[in-house]
Amino acid sequence: MTSHYRIHKEGTISILVAFFIAFVPIWASSFFKAPLILQIIVTTVCVLFFALVVYFFRVPFRVTKRDSNAIIAPADGTIVQILEEVETEYFNDKRIKISIFMSPLNVHVNTYPIDGETVYVKYHPGKHFVASLPKASKDNEHNTVVQKHKNGEEILFRQIAGTVARRIVSYAKEGDNAVQGRETGIIKFGSRVDVFLPLSAKINVTLNQPVQSKITHLAYFS
């Protein structure tokens, strides 16, 4: 179990904003001499709010369980879909889709699922439906990345914003030689990641299973 964390650099501004949002009501309740019970309630709520924002941007120190034949989870969360679906943005053929739903309490840093060249990156503005809904994959704001494995197979993973998420950060660039388990970005607040695999892939997870980036093997190349 991970016990050491750092705070993600993308959280700096959000944490500063949260600090001021939390500080002002605490200061105001004290300055205007609100009843003691009200001061305690205001302080408690504001401190919890600030703590949750800081907690959201935590990055656990993990050692990647590297395996050249494995597709490792690119996100923490829960498996909400495993199905065959025609992927229409890049492959235009049937693939196995594995969807990982990330609640606001999950770690939201995303990592590369395999070693391989990054051959496609595209950001899509969109809506903010609940990320666990199937239509969120296409209709919500999302960012798509495709990696090509040394065996010639390609996999696609898609960062999808949810109802609360308002910003997707991706460090992926076409032509990069991405390393399995290395950070590829972060989605700010509740969201989802879809992974599209070859039909020949051997699935290693089940519905409703919790998964961890860098750790859980979603599937294996045949």
Side-chain angles (χ1 to χ4, degrees), residues 91-171:
F91 293 117
N92 291 309
D93 62 15
K94 188 174 285 188
R95 298 274 155 166
I96 299 173
K97 181 174 81 170
I98 299 178
S99 297
I100 303 169
F101 176 69
M102 307 160 69
S103 81
L105 295 180
N106 284 126
V107 172
H108 271 58
V109 175
N110 302 140
T111 55
Y112 288 106
I114 63 170
D115 289 329
E117 181 185 358
T118 302
V119 296
Y120 178 85
V121 179
K122 189 170 183 179
Y123 168 78
H124 304 263
K127 300 177 181 179
H128 292 87
F129 295 120
V130 176
S132 58
L133 295 175
K135 65 180 179 178
S137 182
K138 295 180 180 179
D139 294 342
N140 279 21
E141 175 189 357
H142 61 276
N143 188 72
T144 301
V145 179
V146 179
Q147 285 184 271
K148 187 172 184 177
H149 193 268
K150 64 182 180 181
N151 64 12
E153 296 279 15
E154 292 179 323
I155 70 159
L156 178 154
F157 63 94
R158 182 173 291 143
Q159 298 167 287
I160 303 167
T163 304
V164 181
R166 297 295 168 180
R167 187 180 176 208
I168 294 174
V169 177
S170 175
Y171 305 133

Side-chain angles (χ1 to χ4, degrees), residues 32 37 40 46 74 78 86 95-96 104 108 110 116 121 141 156 175 189 202:
F32 292 105
I37 185 64
I40 292 173
C46 290
T78 303
V86 176
R95 298 274 155 166
I96 299 173
H108 271 58
N110 302 140
V121 179
E141 175 189 357
L156 178 154
F189 304 102
K202 298 178 180 179

Side-chain angles (χ1 to χ4, degrees), residues 20-217:
F20 284 106
I21 290 174
F23 173 77
V24 171
I26 294 174
W27 172 84
S29 66
S30 175
F31 182 81
F32 292 105
K33 296 181 171 57
L36 180 60
I37 185 64
L38 181 59
Q39 291 188 45
I40 292 173
I41 292 172
V42 168
T43 299
T44 301
V45 171
C46 290
V47 169
L48 283 175
F49 164 74
F50 177 70
L52 284 172
V53 173
V54 174
Y55 183 72
F56 175 85
F57 287 102
R58 72 199 185 283
V59 183
F61 290 100
R62 295 175 182 163
V63 177
T64 304
K65 295 183 177 181
R66 290 173 56 80
D67 184 334
S68 62
N69 196 48
I71 299 100
I72 296 179
D76 282 29
T78 303
I79 303 294
V80 293
Q81 277 189 327
I82 302 174
L83 51 81
E84 291 187 9
E85 181 178 294
V86 176
E87 196 289 311
T88 57
E89 178 180 351
Y90 180 83
F91 293 117
N92 291 309
D93 62 15
K94 188 174 285 188
R95 298 274 155 166
I96 299 173
K97 181 174 81 170
I98 299 178
S99 297
I100 303 169
F101 176 69
M102 307 160 69
S103 81
L105 295 180
N106 284 126
V107 172
H108 271 58
V109 175
N110 302 140
T111 55
Y112 288 106
I114 63 170
D115 289 329
E117 181 185 358
T118 302
V119 296
Y120 178 85
V121 179
K122 189 170 183 179
Y123 168 78
H124 304 263
K127 300 177 181 179
H128 292 87
F129 295 120
V130 176
S132 58
L133 295 175
K135 65 180 179 178
S137 182
K138 295 180 180 179
D139 294 342
N140 279 21
E141 175 189 357
H142 61 276
N143 188 72
T144 301
V145 179
V146 179
Q147 285 184 271
K148 187 172 184 177
H149 193 268
K150 64 182 180 181
N151 64 12
E153 296 279 15
E154 292 179 323
I155 70 159
L156 178 154
F157 63 94
R158 182 173 291 143
Q159 298 167 287
I160 303 167
T163 304
V164 181
R166 297 295 168 180
R167 187 180 176 208
I168 294 174
V169 177
S170 175
Y171 305 133
K173 295 180 181 179
E174 291 184 14
D176 285 353
N177 286 315
V179 177
Q180 188 178 58
R182 182 171 293 174
E183 185 177 318
T184 184
I186 186 172
I187 314 175
K188 293 190 176 183
F189 304 102
S191 45
R192 166 177 156 184
V193 174
D194 287 347
V195 185
F196 287 85
L197 309 175
L199 292 177
S200 58
K202 298 178 180 179
I203 306 304
N204 190 53
V205 290
T206 58
L207 280 175
N208 302 314
Q209 177 181 334
V211 297
Q212 290 183 305
S213 69
K214 296 189 176 187
I215 302 295
T216 306
H217 289 190

